[in-house]
Amino acid sequence: MTPPEAPMDGSAKPGDRPPAVSVCAVVPLTVLSKRSDFLKAARARRQPTPSMLVQARRRAPGEADGIRVGFTCSKKVGNAVARNRAKRRLREIARAVLPELGRDGWDYVLIGKPVDTATRPFDLLKDDLRKALAKLHSR
């Protein structure tokens, strides 16, 4: 499909088109992948919400930069389709909320709950994460 800015007569050159624009978080989120990072977060602060459990830990100085986040859903959440749906929703709320309320030098793990993570309205999911972060950082 031709963008509206490009000439319609076919005389457009490759440099004439505007570049594709992607919306990225101001603060890049790094995804936790090592089991040891998840275990460290499990021993740290935790805050339950109606739709998820949020674990947070402050990293040691020099350990890593930025905000890191991990996602997990056990088989209690459901089959693979249900777990993946719940994790997709958790990823999206983390992408929306953590750049503004997360703190640099912290690891966060969002754990999905059966039924609630997948069925709760999206705005309420974001509110749950905001409230959990406020409580975790006030301690």
Side-chain angles (χ1 to χ4, degrees):
M1 186 167 138
T2 307
E5 301 83 30
M8 298 303 286
D9 61 1
S11 64
K13 296 179 183 113
D16 291 344
R17 287 190 182 174
V21 177
S22 65
V23 178
C24 296
V26 176
V27 179
L29 300 176
T30 306
V31 178
L32 295 176
S33 58
K34 294 183 180 178
R35 184 172 189 269
S36 62
D37 291 330
F38 282 90
L39 293 175
K40 288 176 187 174
R43 290 189 299 268
R45 301 175 185 179
R46 64 186 67 199
Q47 182 63 46
T49 70
S51 58
M52 73 190 94
L53 175 68
V54 181
Q55 298 172 338
R57 89 172 178 101
R58 185 180 192 131
R59 292 188 306 269
E63 189 176 339
D65 293 334
I67 298 171
R68 298 193 311 177
V69 62
F71 310 95
T72 186
C73 290
S74 70
K75 287 190 176 183
K76 291 179 184 179
V77 173
N79 62 12
V81 174
R83 291 193 306 272
N84 285 331
R85 177 180 166 83
K87 284 191 278 188
R88 278 194 310 269
R89 290 172 60 93
L90 291 175
R91 276 194 295 269
E92 191 55 37
I93 63 164
R95 196 174 293 125
V97 174
L98 283 179
E100 63 185 52
L101 297 177
R103 292 191 181 168
D104 192 29
W106 284 69
D107 288 344
Y108 302 97
V109 176
L110 295 129
I111 302 172
K113 288 186 175 181
V115 183
D116 297 329
T117 304
T119 59
R120 192 159 172 89
F122 194 72
D123 292 336
L124 293 178
L125 273 175
K126 290 196 313 190
D127 288 341
D128 288 345
L129 182 56
R130 286 185 186 109
K131 289 174 187 173
L133 291 173
K135 287 183 180 180
L136 286 166
H137 292 305
S138 68
R139 295 183 198 172

